[in-house]
Amino acid sequence: MKSLMTSLHEYIEMRRSFGYQLKETEQNLKKFITYLKKKGCQYITVQLAVEWAILPKNVKRAYWSRRLCFVRLFAQYRMAEDPRTEVPLPHLLSQQPNRAIPYIYSDKEIQQLLGACQLLLSLGLRHHTYFTFFGLMAVTGCRISELISLNRDDLDVKNNWIIIRNSKCNKSRLLPLHQTTIQQLKKYSKIRDQFPVHDINAFFLSDRGTRITKWSARFAFIRISKQIGLRSHFDSYGPRIHDIRHAFAVKTLLNWYRQGININKKIMLLSTYLGHKKPTDTYWYITGTPELLAQATTLLEKNTGE
């Protein structure tokens, strides 16, 4: 019988062949297998799976649920090799879709965020980097990881687009940009190229000339969000970077509703632009945002005559 670790390698390789990246899944399942070994157990049990899932303290229940989901899917795969395997039921730890309610930034708040970037401590490049970085996120709805991974040759000023490469499920896409956005990216490129560079491929650079990271971007975001009052100086939670992406999607949908555009005909366009795996991920914004839900309800009542 194959070991759990061997099965895990095969499981990850199999799922990656379908386009999944699974970095977090692999890291967590390796930790789970290590936990089983410490408990002297050679197969997956529901009891140990739940014990492991709830090990982190002071976290949201949804995080426990996510950890248990990693185990559940792997256990389903492992059953073919080891019939002793127990698969945790879906309802354990309230495994239901539990998305956080997004914070929808107003246009004024986005402008304040960008303005606060100019106040970041910088050796000359950092404040330019984050002004352009957060600005690009606001007008494209890109994920933070997508913009961090952006390379210089991903900007095509001739065709007015950027290329997002190998995002979720290893998919790539072209994002057409407004001419004003292209002008800002060109302006930033000229400023960036005046500083020493250690990563010649990266588009967005730190003061040290290296590619910025998720952690540095989040740290900068927290600093500027506190400066403009979106968070107090003692808040550990508050509006997130990812909510900039939510705001872009919601505002796009709201504008379409207000213009009387048929959402069902346009949703695939937005879904593709955002890099969603399926349109239902985009439709969630309608039910996940009160104003959008109200717009959808009003339109439905109008169409049905009720």
Side-chain angles (χ1 to χ4, degrees):
M1 182 183 298
K2 297 175 183 175
S3 68
L4 278 166
M5 194 60 74
T6 298
S7 286
L8 173 60
H9 290 320
E10 293 177 351
Y11 168 73
I12 294 296
E13 184 178 350
M14 180 270 293
R15 291 196 62 194
R16 280 179 175 157
S17 69
F18 291 106
Y20 296 97
Q21 295 184 0
L22 304 177
K23 183 177 180 180
E24 184 184 4
T25 299
E26 184 176 19
Q27 290 174 343
N28 276 275
L29 288 176
K30 284 180 178 179
K31 292 177 181 178
F32 173 62
I33 292 174
T34 300
Y35 182 78
L36 290 180
K37 290 181 178 178
K38 288 182 179 179
K39 293 293 183 177
C41 189
Q42 298 179 350
Y43 59 94
I44 299 172
T45 70
V46 171
Q47 179 181 343
L48 291 178
V50 173
E51 284 182 9
W52 174 80
I54 64 175
L55 280 177
K57 305 303 179 185
N58 301 319
V59 298
K60 294 183 179 180
R61 190 178 182 88
Y63 183 65
W64 289 347
S65 176
R66 182 172 177 82
R67 282 163 60 91
L68 189 61
C69 183
F70 294 144
V71 177
R72 179 182 302 109
L73 296 177
F74 176 53
Q76 292 171 349
Y77 174 85
R78 175 67 178 176
M79 281 186 68
E81 180 69 29
D82 187 348
R84 298 174 297 175
T85 301
E86 298 177 8
V87 179
L89 294 173
H91 71 270
L92 285 177
L93 302 183
S94 300
Q95 175 56 30
Q96 297 293 332
N98 188 25
R99 284 177 159 175
I101 297 175
Y103 182 89
I104 307 304
Y105 297 96
S106 67
D107 291 341
K108 181 179 179 180
E109 287 171 332
I110 292 295
Q111 291 172 359
Q112 290 175 328
L113 281 169
L114 298 182
C117 289
Q118 306 301 323
L119 303 177
L120 287 171
L121 293 177
S122 174
L123 297 178
L125 182 60
R126 183 169 179 247
H127 58 285
H128 292 294
T129 293
Y130 286 114
F131 175 85
T132 307
F133 182 87
F134 293 130
L136 184 58
M137 183 178 292
V139 298
T140 61
C142 280
R143 302 176 179 93
I144 181 174
S145 58
E146 293 172 341
L147 295 190
I148 286 172
S149 300
L150 197 69
N151 287 325
R152 298 183 184 209
D153 57 3
D154 292 333
L155 170 63
D156 188 332
V157 296
K158 181 179 180 180
N159 292 299
N160 292 343
W161 65 42
I162 56 173
I163 304 173
I164 302 299
R165 302 182 188 274
N166 302 321
S167 187
K168 273 196 171 181
C169 299
N170 288 326
K171 291 184 177 180
S172 299
R173 64 190 191 277
L174 292 174
L175 298 188
L177 302 176
H178 192 273
Q179 186 60 41
T180 55
T181 303
I182 291 293
Q183 290 301 321
Q184 175 57 35
L185 294 179
K186 290 169 63 176
K187 178 180 178 181
Y188 170 72
S189 298
K190 290 180 179 179
I191 295 172
R192 178 201 62 208
D193 292 346
Q194 295 173 11
F195 292 84
V197 175
H198 294 289
D199 188 334
I200 61 174
N201 293 319
F203 189 85
F204 289 110
L205 295 179
S206 67
D207 275 339
R208 296 178 297 172
T210 58
R211 187 184 297 270
I212 63 174
T213 66
K214 287 184 180 180
W215 309 115
S216 63
R218 289 192 174 107
F219 180 76
F221 175 79
I222 291 172
R223 289 290 299 272
I224 62 178
S225 63
K226 288 181 177 180
Q227 286 177 352
I228 67 172
L230 283 174
R231 298 181 182 213
S232 77
H233 287 285
F234 305 102
D235 285 344
S236 57
Y237 294 98
R240 308 164 301 164
I241 292 180
H242 195 66
D243 289 330
I244 299 177
R245 172 175 166 85
H246 286 301
F248 171 83
V250 167
K251 289 174 182 177
T252 299
L253 289 168
L254 277 173
N255 286 336
W256 286 347
Y257 270 118
R258 290 164 180 164
Q259 294 171 27
I261 294 174
N262 188 324
I263 299 298
N264 291 329
K265 292 183 178 180
K266 298 277 284 187
I267 199 73
M268 276 301 299
L269 177 64
L270 180 59
S271 185
T272 301
Y273 196 88
L274 289 170
H276 280 158
K277 183 180 177 182
K278 49 188 182 299
T280 51
D281 292 335
T282 313
Y283 272 114
W284 174 82
Y285 290 110
I286 297 176
T287 58
T289 311
E291 187 177 359
L292 263 177
L293 184 57
Q295 289 280 349
T297 302
T298 300
L299 184 61
L300 178 63
E301 291 174 348
K302 180 180 179 181
N303 291 339
T304 58
E306 296 181 0

